[in-house]
Amino acid sequence: MIKVANKKIIRHLSFKSFQANKTRNIVAILAIALTTVMFCALFTIAVSLNYSWQQQTMRQVGGYAHGGFKELDLAQAEELKKDPLIKESGLSFMFASPEGGVFQKHSAEMRYADANYAKFTYATPTTGTMPKNEKDIATDTRILKLMGIPAKIGEKVTLSYGLGKDVVTDTFTLCGFWDTDEAMKVDMMWLSKDYVTAKSAPIAPEDKPFSGLGKWYLDVLFENSNNIEKNLSTVARNNGYSIKNENTDKNENTDNYVDVGINWGYTSTHIDNGSMAETAAALGFTLILILFSGYLIIYNVFQISIAGDIRFYGLLKTIGTTGKQIKRIIRYQALLLSLIAIPIGLVFGFILGNSLTKIIMSSLNSSQTYLTLNPIIFMGAALFSLFTVFISCSKPGKTAAAISPVEAVSFTENKVGKKGLKKAKEGSKIWQMAYANVMRNRKKTILVVISLALSVVLLNATYSFTKGFDMDRYLEKFVVTDFVVASNEYFKYEYSGENTNVPPQVVENIDSQKGIESASIINKYTKMSSYKLPQKQWWEYYKNVPKEHLNPEYLKAAPNDLIDEPMDIFGMDDLSLSYLKVVEGSVNPNYLRNNNAIIQVVPDDDYGVPNMDEARFKIGDKITVDYNDRSFDEKTQKLVENNPCSQQYTVVATVVIPYAISQRYSGAGQYILHSGRMAADAPQGISSMVYLLNTDDAHTKSMEDFLKNYTQNVETGMNYESKASYTHEFKGFQTMFLFVGGALSLIIGIVGVLNFINAEITGIVSRKREIAMLQSIGMTGKQLKKMLIVEGLFYGIVAIILSSIINLFIYGFVMDSVESLFWFFSKNFTMAMIWLSLPVFIILGIGIPLLVYRSISQESLVERLKSR
């Protein structure tokens, strides 16, 4: 046998064969493009979601600097920024917060910032410039819209802000603005350096609302985001400072301390090992799913194509072409098809992926999606598509390479199995002939059936998954009453527990509305309170906390010395007590009202599992609570006790407070008294933190309308949340999963249907001569159509049966894992999408054979008998 080693000839033969298979090429390009679309959409979603979450986290924490030094003098800031470890730095001066008007419900800061700090905080003017003149101001379009000021350079901006003991109103000239980034929780308003330093100079430290006002802030970038805390400490030490922690004694000289902040955005997006395993498993499963579905159709295209061209490959063998060279011819064709199809798939896949990412982010209550042209998206999708193509054409290539010239002459894809033909006693029935035709090539039949079943199973699983989203369980976590009313501060992003009071007139006005079924006020003790515990017990609780973050005086104390531990105390009446999730002990309102009894609070995770490591006491333990009206004397730098009193309580229960009625921020340990007991033991310093109410169904809408108008136009210092808002959020979340899963199901379904259509068309066309022979011996057109229809229906019906079996497996073994993974999911069994797919398969099974038969019957019987 002569070995042909000329690569140019092989490529030429491959290209000519490629040109001759136009129909195969169209189907293959469509199959490869769809496979690429799926891969590219998956990579786009994965990369874009990760990028969006990172970007959103950075914007929520205020910027992308690695960390910073807080509350500095200008000299300290200038000194620290010169450290060689710092690659880039930005400087800011905290001046004030605007007050009144729209700023009662909206957070903003008035600062001076240099260009780098503005860049770090995503707040660089895109129109105009940063402030240059003394009365210049730059801000974002959201602030301008809220204030009713046109986004136009030169507009006047009048603001009121607290300055020491006074409220100052001043007018500025808009010098620059930028589009609002919806992820930013606090808007920036840049002022000139001359203005803020001149206005701040006369203010005494004790007249400032908090110590950070009138101070400089230095944000820094290092070489990378590794070891941020260590790098900040190193910079501080290099310049003769120590890191100040929040437990530094107030009597210490803090001149040699600096306070630091770490951008937790770099750590909050970190995935722990468990989540990483789940994410990797989900990504891996989806990749395998796409790989398999793509393989099915691409393999089928090449297998059928090679079966049709087998005589051509046999002829090549006759003239000396080797099997290796035939494989290369097929690989060249696959590569040519990929070069056309993959770029098309990448474009449409990126568009689809971005669209799905936006839907996912918006359904997760994210106001903005940050898209990225990361090369990983295109490289990953292209490589996986190429891999799928080459493994798909590998087996058909081996078939073509292994065929001998003699075998090629008699080869037919539709040959019967090794057992040969079974002799019928009474002649063949139509359905028997159809079954025999389908089972001629079992491998092709299996691939087509699996391809169809896969799309149906995925669609039904997606529907079952979204149907399993339990609104009651979802709302249970966020909502306990129809409405929650509180101050603006309570609902603000940077809420710290201060200034939370619901005035009596607000309660009275709401109570005057119709339809209220029940209501409750949750009180909070706003003065300083604490309890004492032995140092050894205190240390047992804090032993895993780095010592540098703990009070050194407490660390030096003897094991039996008593330590003052701060606490937050809430007062609840009978109704609000009923909403607590009891972990251990019992919550009896009557007993709590009439006895010195207290409840300790522990947090829970997303799945409602309480963290008992946070429980300081056992049921029955005694607590002596010190109600200390303490204040800090700036002159003496000491804490002053005002009207101290103490009371001993017995711990009767450990509970979890639902988030909706909690104080919504992490502070000291939390404890609950009955409202009546709190009023008797601590008559001073009690404020109404939140007001809860439930309405009957007939008045829920009218109450929503009343509260909206009341908080916007009457009591502008108040705000509210309603069950309706969380219901809307839940439905959006549910829709997102249905849309994304449905889109993936649709793509895989298209691949399955194309595989089915391709198999039907090629199966009938390749048997054109055989069908003509049946007609020539007396088989009528009606009988032929019936036989072809039965063949088509076979694929669909078997696919439905297989889908039903797989669905049972999914319900029995997979849904339990999903239920444990999503705290708001309840598994359910459904066959809805499978039954809805049945009529679609019936229509395809009848329609496609009839259309193909109509096409081939246009040729005369003689012409078809002559065909090979």
Side-chain angles (χ1 to χ4, degrees):
M1 185 177 287
I2 301 171
K3 184 177 179 181
V4 180
N6 193 320
K7 292 183 179 180
K8 287 185 178 180
I9 294 175
I10 296 298
R11 283 196 293 269
H12 180 73
L13 285 170
S14 179
F15 184 71
K16 288 298 181 182
S17 176
F18 173 81
Q19 286 182 313
N21 282 283
K22 292 180 180 179
T23 304
R24 187 281 311 268
N25 293 345
I26 293 171
V27 175
I29 287 171
L30 189 58
I32 296 169
L34 280 170
T35 302
T36 308
V37 165
M38 290 190 289
F39 279 126
C40 191
L42 176 67
F43 276 91
T44 302
I45 291 170
V47 174
S48 294
L49 278 180
N50 182 60
Y51 181 73
S52 290
W53 278 325
Q54 286 180 342
Q55 288 296 307
Q56 183 159 283
T57 303
M58 296 303 175
R59 284 161 166 82
Q60 286 176 345
V61 301
Y64 65 87
H66 293 146
F69 298 89
K70 304 185 289 185
E71 301 182 20
L72 304 170
D73 294 330
L74 183 58
Q76 291 176 311
E78 293 292 347
E79 179 183 12
L80 289 166
K81 68 187 291 187
K82 295 176 183 176
D83 192 279
L85 198 60
I86 297 173
K87 298 303 178 186
E88 199 171 356
S89 65
L91 199 58
S92 172
F93 182 86
M94 181 61 187
F95 177 61
S97 294
E99 298 180 359
V102 299
F103 299 105
Q104 290 188 77
K105 299 180 186 292
H106 192 78
S107 300
E109 292 178 358
M110 301 168 69
R111 288 175 176 254
Y112 158 75
D114 63 15
N116 272 355
Y117 192 92
K119 180 178 69 173
F120 293 165
T121 53
Y122 307 98
T124 300
T126 53
T127 301
T129 64
M130 292 288 283
K132 296 178 181 178
N133 301 318
E134 183 179 355
K135 288 290 192 77
D136 280 353
I137 188 171
T139 189
D140 63 33
T141 52
R142 177 165 55 190
I143 290 289
L144 297 175
K145 184 177 181 181
L146 286 172
M147 296 184 71
I149 299 172
K152 184 178 179 182
I153 300 300
E155 291 291 327
K156 299 300 179 182
V157 181
T158 300
L159 298 171
S160 295
Y161 58 87
L163 192 65
K165 297 179 179 179
D166 302 320
V167 175
V168 176
T169 299
D170 213 339
T171 300
F172 304 88
T173 301
L174 186 65
C175 66
F177 58 87
W178 58 93
D179 289 334
T180 301
D181 190 321
E182 296 296 337
M184 300 293 285
K185 299 298 183 181
V186 180
D187 289 301
M188 291 296 166
M189 308 180 79
W190 303 133
L191 304 177
S192 69
K193 183 178 181 181
D194 290 342
Y195 184 88
V196 299
T197 53
K199 288 286 186 180
S200 299
I203 307 303
E206 61 268 21
D207 292 332
K208 295 175 181 177
F210 65 93
S211 60
L213 282 177
K215 293 292 186 179
W216 291 86
Y217 292 74
L218 181 70
D219 277 12
V220 298
L221 284 173
F222 299 112
E223 188 69 39
N224 53 57
S225 60
N226 298 327
N227 304 312
I228 294 174
E229 187 173 11
K230 180 181 178 182
N231 288 338
L232 289 169
S233 299
T234 301
V235 171
R237 286 196 302 270
N238 288 346
N239 292 275
Y241 297 101
S242 297
I243 298 297
K244 174 184 176 182
N245 67 65
E246 60 187 17
N247 291 313
T248 300
D249 195 313
K250 292 287 185 180
N251 293 311
E252 287 190 45
N253 181 355
T254 59
D255 288 345
N256 292 322
Y257 286 86
V258 289
D259 201 358
V260 300
I262 299 169
N263 187 344
W264 57 263
Y266 284 96
T267 57
S268 65
T269 53
H270 173 71
I271 302 174
D272 59 34
N273 290 335
S275 298
M276 188 176 292
E278 291 170 3
T279 304
L283 181 62
F285 174 76
T286 309
L287 281 173
I288 291 170
L289 194 66
I290 296 172
L291 195 85
F292 180 66
S293 60
Y295 168 80
L296 288 177
I297 187 169
I298 298 170
Y299 166 82
N300 212 22
V301 170
F302 277 96
Q303 181 70 18
I304 294 170
S305 171
I306 284 169
D309 294 340
I310 201 70
R311 291 179 179 82
F312 168 70
Y313 295 117
L315 177 61
L316 291 179
K317 277 289 194 72
T318 303
I319 61 174
T321 307
T322 65
K324 186 177 180 181
Q325 289 171 329
I326 288 176
K327 289 181 185 178
R328 193 180 301 161
I329 289 172
I330 295 169
R331 283 198 300 270
Y332 277 141
Q333 292 180 16
L335 182 61
L336 285 171
L337 291 167
S338 299
L339 289 175
I340 298 170
I342 288 178
I344 297 171
L346 291 176
V347 172
F348 286 99
F350 184 71
I351 294 171
L352 175 64
N354 281 333
S355 300
L356 295 178
T357 302
K358 289 178 181 178
I359 292 169
I360 293 171
M361 294 298 290
S362 63
S363 298
L364 293 175
N365 266 354
S366 172
S367 54
Q368 194 163 345
T369 305
Y370 304 91
L371 304 179
T372 174
L373 288 169
N374 193 317
I376 291 175
I377 294 173
F378 304 102
M379 291 173 60
L383 287 173
F384 270 94
S385 295
L386 275 174
F387 175 73
T388 306
V389 171
F390 280 113
I391 63 169
S392 299
C393 70
S394 175
K395 183 67 184 296
K398 288 180 181 179
T399 301
I403 199 76
S404 69
V406 175
E407 289 173 324
V409 174
S410 59
F411 180 88
T412 172
E413 184 213 17
N414 300 308
K415 63 185 177 182
V416 296
K418 292 180 180 179
K419 293 181 181 180
L421 293 170
K422 185 177 180 181
K423 200 172 195 179
K425 294 180 180 179
E426 300 178 2
S428 295
K429 307 291 186 184
I430 293 294
W431 69 266
Q432 290 175 324
M433 295 176 65
Y435 176 77
N437 289 334
V438 169
M439 297 307 293
R440 285 179 180 182
N441 191 330
R442 288 182 174 84
K443 185 180 292 185
K444 184 188 76 173
T445 300
I446 291 170
L447 288 175
V448 173
V449 169
I450 290 176
S451 179
L452 289 172
L454 190 63
S455 60
V456 176
V457 167
L458 184 59
L459 182 61
N460 195 72
T462 300
Y463 176 74
S464 177
F465 182 57
T466 53
K467 194 170 181 286
F469 283 1
D470 192 328
M471 184 182 292
D472 291 335
R473 292 179 66 175
Y474 182 85
L475 294 178
E476 192 177 89
K477 183 175 179 63
F478 298 106
V479 180
V480 294
T481 58
D482 291 337
F483 298 94
V484 175
V485 181
S487 69
N488 289 323
E489 294 296 323
Y490 178 80
F491 295 109
K492 277 188 177 180
Y493 169 74
E494 74 276 17
Y495 169 58
S496 62
E498 302 297 330
N499 303 318
T500 56
N501 185 52
V502 182
Q505 71 271 17
V506 172
V507 176
E508 291 174 9
N509 288 328
I510 295 174
D511 284 346
S512 67
Q513 303 302 305
K514 295 180 180 179
I516 296 179
E517 292 184 330
S518 58
S520 173
I521 292 177
I522 298 179
N523 297 316
K524 181 181 179 183
Y525 182 67
T526 58
K527 305 293 184 180
M528 297 184 70
S529 57
S530 62
Y531 63 90
K532 291 181 172 60
L533 75 165
Q535 193 270 356
K536 60 184 178 183
Q537 188 177 342
W538 173 86
W539 174 243
E540 184 65 26
Y541 184 75
Y542 286 108
K543 63 183 179 182
N544 294 323
V545 178
K547 290 184 178 181
E548 59 268 23
H549 295 310
L550 299 175
N551 191 322
E553 295 299 320
Y554 289 0
L555 293 170
K556 296 174 186 177
N560 291 322
D561 287 351
L562 295 179
I563 299 295
D564 261 341
E565 185 74 357
M567 63 193 301
D568 290 329
I569 304 178
F570 304 96
M572 295 188 176
D573 60 18
D574 294 13
L575 178 62
S576 50
L577 286 170
S578 69
Y579 295 130
L580 299 177
K581 299 177 182 178
V582 181
V583 181
E584 57 183 10
S586 64
V587 176
N588 185 318
N590 288 329
Y591 185 84
L592 287 163
R593 185 188 302 110
N594 300 311
N595 295 274
N596 288 344
I598 197 168
I599 300 169
Q600 69 175 341
V601 179
V602 294
D604 64 345
D605 61 17
D606 284 343
Y607 303 93
V609 179
N611 182 4
M612 293 305 292
D613 291 338
E614 296 288 331
R616 306 291 185 89
F617 301 98
K618 297 177 181 178
I619 305 302
D621 284 354
K622 305 292 185 182
I623 303 177
T624 299
V625 175
D626 295 325
Y627 293 98
N628 302 315
D629 183 3
R630 294 177 177 178
S631 59
F632 184 70
D633 191 326
E634 292 282 353
K635 293 181 179 178
T636 63
Q637 294 287 296
K638 292 182 179 180
L639 287 172
V640 179
E641 302 281 355
N642 303 310
N643 305 316
C645 63
S646 299
Q647 185 63 263
Q648 188 179 72
Y649 300 97
T650 301
V651 178
V652 296
T654 301
V655 303
V656 172
I657 303 180
Y659 174 79
I661 61 174
S662 71
Q663 68 176 350
R664 303 191 180 197
Y665 81 101
S666 298
Q670 299 177 20
Y671 299 84
I672 300 169
L673 296 172
H674 193 283
S675 296
R677 175 55 54 185
M678 174 183 270
D681 294 347
Q684 303 296 321
I686 297 176
S687 71
S688 301
M689 185 175 72
V690 295
Y691 177 52
L692 314 174
L693 65 148
N694 294 303
T695 59
D696 58 46
D697 293 341
H699 292 89
T700 301
K701 179 64 168 60
S702 61
M703 180 60 77
E704 177 101 26
D705 294 338
F706 167 77
L707 289 175
K708 183 176 181 180
N709 176 70
Y710 186 68
T711 56
Q712 287 183 353
N713 301 313
V714 182
E715 289 287 349
T716 55
M718 305 303 294
N719 212 333
Y720 77 99
E721 281 181 349
S722 67
K723 183 179 288 187
S725 61
Y726 283 101
T727 301
H728 178 74
E729 176 183 315
F730 172 82
K731 289 181 178 178
F733 190 67
Q734 189 178 37
T735 301
M736 176 271 293
F737 271 98
L738 185 61
F739 188 91
V740 173
L744 183 60
S745 303
L746 179 63
I747 294 173
I748 293 178
I750 291 172
V751 172
V753 170
L754 283 174
N755 208 356
F756 171 57
I757 293 171
N758 182 49
E760 278 287 283
I761 293 174
T762 52
I764 295 172
V765 172
S766 65
R767 289 184 289 137
K768 184 166 61 173
R769 185 167 179 267
E770 178 186 320
I771 291 171
M773 290 178 65
L774 290 172
Q775 284 182 302
S776 69
I777 59 175
M779 194 173 194
T780 66
K782 185 177 181 180
Q783 290 174 320
L784 272 172
K785 290 177 185 178
K786 189 180 293 186
M787 181 186 75
L788 296 176
I789 287 172
V790 172
E791 291 177 20
L793 291 175
F794 175 86
Y795 289 109
I797 292 170
V798 174
I800 292 296
I801 295 171
L802 180 61
S803 302
S804 302
I805 295 170
I806 297 174
N807 187 53
L808 289 171
F809 173 81
I810 291 174
Y811 177 77
F813 297 96
V814 178
M815 284 301 177
D816 286 334
S817 300
V818 176
E819 192 172 39
S820 63
L821 187 62
F822 293 93
W823 51 267
F824 52 85
F825 179 82
S826 298
K827 75 171 186 176
N828 66 97
F829 180 77
T830 180
M831 295 274 289
M833 294 299 106
I834 294 176
W835 296 128
L836 283 175
S837 299
L838 181 59
V840 175
F841 288 164
I842 290 175
I843 292 170
L844 290 173
I846 296 173
I848 293 172
L850 290 178
L851 289 173
V852 177
Y853 175 76
R854 183 179 178 183
S855 175
I856 64 171
S857 62
Q858 290 178 356
E859 292 184 32
S860 67
L861 188 64
V862 174
E863 289 175 333
R864 281 183 280 152
L865 286 170
K866 290 180 179 179
S867 64
R868 287 182 176 270

